[in-house]
Amino acid sequence: MLQPVAPAAGTDSVNMLAATTRAPSDEAGVLFSGDRGPGVSFSNIVVSIPRDREVGTIQLPRSVPGNAATDFVVTAERPVAKADLAKWFAKAGGRKRRVFVFVHGFNTPFDRAVFRFAQLTHDADAMAAPVLFSWPSRGRLLDYKRDFDNASYSRSDLAYLLKTVANGSAVSEVVILAHSMGSWLAMEAVKQIALEQGGVPRKINNIILASPDLDVGVFRRQVEDMGPRRPQITLFVSQNDRALQLSQFLSQGSARLGAIDLSQDEYRRQLASLNGITVLDLSAIRAGDRINHDLFAASPDAVRLIGDRLIQGQVITDTDVSVSAMAAETIGSAAGLVVSAPILVFNAAAER
C-alpha cells in the first residue's frame, strides 16, 4: 500500500520522517518487512489524506496502490541519510520547533503504522514535525513473543533517535506518543537516556502512553529510574481493551497498565506516589474496532485532547474533557479523580 501514486487536488497531506529497525523489503509498496534490519533506516514519507472522512478513520485502498482522491496513499518516499537528519528537522519543525514522535504497538505492519500516524497527526492538527519510529512487528496475532523480542532489540536505536532529536538546534520540544507494546519500548529508551545522562533531556517534556501493554510494577520502576528530572506522563487506559485482556492472559495474569480500574484503591495508591502522572480512562468510549485498542486515535474526544493539550505540553484536567453538569460526579479526592462523561481523569500529584 506504500507504492507512491500521483497526488490529487482537494486532499491534505502529512510529511513524516520514518525511522525503522525493520529490514528493507524488495516487494513493491512494502518498503520494510517484519524482520530485523542491520541498523536504523530513515525515510521521508508523504501521505495523502482525503478530506471527506470522519475524524479517527483511515480509508485504506480497496486495491493497491490506491486512489489519492479517495484513499490514504503515499505520494512521495525517499531515503534520508543520517547526516541529513538535522536539515530535515530544520525544515519540518516550523515556527513551533516541536517534534512529535510516535512508537506503534504489537501486531502492526509498517504500512499500517505509517497510515495510523498520518491519520493521528492530521486529525490532531499536531503543529509539530511528525516522526514515526517503527520496530519490527511481524504484524501477526500469534507472534506476540517475537514482537516483544523485536521491541527489545530496538531499544537502543529508539534512544539514539530521541537523543539525536533532542540535541538538534532546530528542535525545542519533543513529545512522545507510544501505543500498546510500544509503550514498554518508549519507556525503556527514555530510561536508558536518563541513566546515561543523569536525567531525561529537558526538551523531552511529554510522554503519552496509549493502551500501554506494560506491567504496572515495571512502569513504576521505569519512572523511578528516570529520576526527578523526567517528563510529564499521560496514560490512556480502558477496562474494555480486549487486546490487553489477551496480553494479561499471556502474561499469566499480570495486570496491564492500560487496563487498570481507577476506582480500585490499589492502583490509585501506586500511581499517587509518582509525580507528574495523569491517567485518562476511556472505558466509556466506543470508537474504532471491536477490541477497543485504538481509542487514542479513533475517538474524536481523545484525538482532540492529544492535539489541543498534550502535544502543546499541557496537563489535562477535568475541565478539559467533555462534560455536562448532570454527568459530572466526583470520586475520592475532588482534585484527584473526576468522572466526566465520557472520560475519567486522574491526576497523581493532586491525589497525594
Side-chain angles (χ1 to χ4, degrees):
M1 290 192 291
L2 301 183
Q3 185 174 342
V5 301
T11 59
D12 297 323
S13 65
V14 172
N15 186 338
M16 74 173 69
L17 178 72
T20 183
T21 51
R22 297 173 183 261
S25 172
D26 295 330
E27 187 177 351
V30 175
L31 296 186
F32 296 97
S33 71
D35 297 322
R36 299 173 185 174
V40 186
S41 301
F42 298 94
S43 299
N44 187 186
I45 301 176
V46 180
V47 178
S48 175
I49 300 177
R51 293 177 181 171
D52 186 18
R53 47 173 285 276
E54 296 181 2
V55 170
T57 61
I58 302 174
Q59 295 176 197
L60 296 176
R62 293 187 177 182
S63 61
V64 295
N67 183 346
T70 57
D71 308 321
F72 275 61
V73 296
V74 168
T75 56
E77 185 274 330
R78 66 176 180 86
V80 177
K82 282 186 178 181
D84 294 331
L85 290 177
K87 295 179 182 177
W88 190 90
F89 287 116
K91 182 178 180 180
R95 191 164 46 85
K96 295 289 186 181
R97 300 175 62 213
R98 182 181 293 124
V99 173
F100 181 31
V101 179
F102 176 60
V103 185
H104 63 74
F106 160 68
N107 190 26
T108 305
F110 184 71
D111 53 7
R112 297 303 179 104
V114 168
F115 287 149
R116 173 58 79 189
F117 186 38
Q119 171 261 311
L120 179 63
T121 300
H122 174 272
D123 291 351
D125 194 16
M127 297 296 290
V131 176
L132 167 68
F133 183 83
S134 183
W135 50 277
S137 170
R138 302 296 293 275
R140 295 196 290 261
L141 190 61
L142 297 181
D143 281 337
Y144 184 89
K145 180 61 170 64
R146 180 64 174 176
D147 266 20
F148 182 79
D149 290 341
N150 283 345
S152 304
Y153 168 83
S154 305
R155 173 174 46 197
S156 293
D157 296 303
L158 176 55
Y160 167 80
L161 172 66
L162 295 175
K163 287 186 289 187
T164 300
V165 175
N167 291 335
S169 59
V171 176
S172 61
E173 298 177 31
V174 182
V175 177
I176 303 168
L177 190 156
H179 178 227
S180 188
M181 190 179 286
S183 298
W184 180 89
L185 171 57
M187 290 294 290
E188 283 292 298
V190 175
K191 183 188 76 174
Q192 179 172 315
I193 297 172
L195 294 175
E196 291 173 354
Q197 301 184 0
V200 181
R202 297 192 182 280
K203 289 183 182 180
I204 303 177
N205 60 0
N206 207 337
I207 299 176
I208 308 163
L209 305 182
S211 304
D213 187 0
L214 183 59
D215 178 271
V216 178
V218 169
F219 170 73
R220 280 183 51 86
R221 178 57 62 88
Q222 290 171 326
V223 173
E224 291 167 353
D225 286 347
M226 289 180 190
R229 200 181 81 194
R230 59 176 180 257
Q232 168 70 28
I233 299 176
T234 303
L235 312 177
F236 284 81
V237 306
S238 172
Q239 298 162 50
N240 302 315
D241 190 319
R242 291 189 173 92
L244 293 183
Q245 292 171 5
L246 173 61
S247 175
Q248 181 169 341
F249 172 77
L250 295 173
S251 303
Q252 299 180 339
S254 175
R256 313 320 286 166
L257 180 65
I260 59 174
D261 182 355
L262 287 176
S263 67
Q264 296 186 19
D265 290 339
E266 172 189 358
Y267 298 122
R268 291 170 60 186
R269 283 196 305 268
Q270 290 194 57
L271 295 176
S273 62
L274 302 173
N275 285 324
I277 308 293
T278 301
V279 186
L280 306 181
D281 191 328
L282 310 184
S283 297
I285 290 178
R286 297 291 180 270
D289 57 31
R290 291 180 297 174
I291 65 173
N292 297 314
H293 195 51
D294 293 329
L295 292 175
F296 75 104
S299 162
D301 288 325
V303 170
R304 178 182 60 82
L305 290 176
I306 290 172
D308 292 348
R309 302 288 293 179
L310 292 175
I311 295 179
Q312 310 301 321
Q314 301 178 43
V315 177
I316 293 177
T317 67
D318 57 286
T319 58
D320 296 310
V321 298
S322 301
V323 58
S324 67
M326 296 298 293
E329 178 185 359
T330 301
I331 298 179
S333 168
L337 186 62
V338 177
V339 177
S340 303
I343 297 175
L344 179 150
V345 182
F346 172 85
N347 187 292
E351 185 76 2
R352 296 183 69 187

